[in-house]
Amino acid sequence: MAEFSQSLHLLLVEDQISIAKNIAEYMEQKGHVLDFATQGKHGLDLALEQFYDLIILDLNLPIMDGLQVCQQIRASADRHIPILMLTARDSIDDKISGFTSGADDYLTKPFNLQELEVRCLALSRRQSLQLDNVISLGPIKLDRKRQQAFRGDKLLNLHTMGFKILKILMEAYPQVVSRSELSHKLWRDAPTESDALRSHIYQLRNVLDKPFETALIKTIHGVGFTLAISKED
C-alpha cells in the first residue's frame, strides 16, 4: 500500500497561472513531480502520451473544458488514470456532471493545498490497490493475470471479449461506462458492426447473470452499462 510520503508524478491542467504556481510550489516542496498544461487539448495530449499517477484537472478551461478532457481521457486511455477535478462551481449539478464525466474526486476553489495533496495521495493509494492481479467486487472475483473470473465459487466460462467487458466494468465501478467508451476500449478505432457490442453483452449476461438468481449487469438506458452490486454483497 502507498504511504503518504510517496512521490507522485502529476499532470496539472489549469489556465490560471497564479493557482498553478501555488500548487506547483507546494507539491514540489513535498517531493512530487509536475507537468503542466494551460489548455484542455494540450492536457489531453499529455495525459494520453505520458504516464501519470494522477491528473489535477480544472473544469473551466479554454477551447476544450475539463468535462470534455475528462470524457476523452476515459474514452481513449488504456488504463484508469485518477482524475481530481478543480472548479469554482460548487452546486450539486456541477459535481454530478464532473463525476458522470469520469472524475474520481472533486475539490472546490478556493481550497487548502494540504487537503489537495491528501486527496491526491488517497486517490493514488486507491488506484494502486486496484492494480492488483485479482479484483474482488461483491460476488465477482477477476484474475487479470490468469484471465479468469468467478462468481462466488463458480468459474465463469467467458470468451475473450466477455472477459474484457467484465474487466472494464469492474475497474470503472461504480461509474457507468458509456456504449461509446466501451466500444472504443474494446476495438479502438477499428470499424465494427453496429450490433457487435450488443451481442457480446448478451453473451456475457448468459454466463454472468442467467445461471444465478440476481443479474449483475445493469443497463442505464441512453447511457451505457454498470454493475449492480450492493454494499451487502
Side-chain angles (χ1 to χ4, degrees):
M1 182 180 296
E3 299 294 335
F4 272 82
S5 59
Q6 78 173 119
S7 175
L8 301 177
H9 188 190
L10 305 170
L11 172 61
L12 174 60
V13 189
E14 169 64 71
D15 65 321
Q16 296 187 43
I17 303 301
S18 59
I19 293 177
K21 184 178 179 180
N22 286 339
I23 293 174
E25 289 179 350
Y26 182 88
M27 290 296 194
E28 288 174 348
Q29 287 177 359
K30 295 292 185 176
H32 306 298
V33 178
L34 278 81
D35 288 347
F36 305 92
T38 57
Q39 293 186 357
K41 181 62 170 64
H42 184 207
L44 174 62
D45 291 341
L46 286 173
L48 298 180
E49 292 168 1
Q50 307 293 328
F51 186 96
Y52 295 103
D53 295 304
L54 184 137
I55 298 171
I56 302 172
L57 177 64
D58 185 41
L59 178 61
N60 295 314
L61 295 168
I63 305 175
M64 178 184 286
D65 67 23
L67 294 179
Q68 293 173 303
V69 174
C70 193
Q71 290 166 350
Q72 288 296 315
I73 290 172
R74 290 291 176 251
S76 301
D78 59 3
R79 67 183 185 92
H80 184 85
I81 312 169
I83 296 176
L84 190 155
M85 192 166 282
L86 302 178
T87 181
R89 307 173 189 174
D90 60 356
S91 74
I92 294 299
D93 287 343
D94 290 324
K95 292 182 179 180
I96 291 174
S97 295
F99 286 125
T100 55
S101 296
D104 296 280
D105 201 357
Y106 202 102
L107 196 56
T108 304
K109 298 176 181 177
F111 51 83
N112 181 280
L113 290 170
Q114 183 178 7
E115 180 182 1
L116 174 64
E117 187 199 15
V118 168
R119 288 188 182 225
C120 288
L121 289 164
L123 286 176
S124 179
R125 287 202 313 278
R126 186 195 308 170
Q127 179 66 11
S128 69
L129 291 175
Q130 292 176 352
L131 291 177
D132 291 340
N133 285 330
V134 177
I135 314 173
S136 294
L137 191 59
I140 314 174
K141 183 170 70 174
L142 183 142
D143 190 322
R144 292 186 180 98
K145 188 174 182 179
R146 296 183 178 180
Q147 299 284 292
Q148 292 180 333
F150 295 80
R151 178 164 178 176
D153 296 328
K154 182 177 179 180
L155 175 65
L156 302 175
N157 185 23
L158 295 174
H159 53 76
T160 301
M161 200 61 71
F163 182 87
K164 288 181 179 179
I165 293 172
L166 180 58
K167 183 168 76 75
I168 292 168
L169 294 177
M170 291 182 71
E171 289 174 345
Y173 179 84
Q175 296 176 5
V176 177
V177 181
S178 70
R179 291 175 182 272
S180 59
E181 179 182 348
L182 192 52
S183 294
H184 186 83
K185 287 181 180 294
L186 293 172
W187 294 291
R188 298 300 176 185
D189 296 322
T192 58
E193 297 180 6
S194 59
D195 62 347
L197 179 59
R198 183 185 307 168
S199 175
H200 288 303
I201 291 289
Y202 175 79
Q203 293 177 52
L204 176 58
R205 281 191 163 117
N206 280 340
V207 177
L208 180 64
D209 290 342
K210 193 172 181 180
F212 302 90
E213 292 184 1
T214 57
L216 297 181
I217 299 177
K218 182 178 181 181
T219 300
I220 308 298
H221 294 289
V223 183
F225 305 94
T226 189
L227 293 172
I229 296 175
S230 66
K231 295 179 180 179
E232 289 75 22
D233 288 335

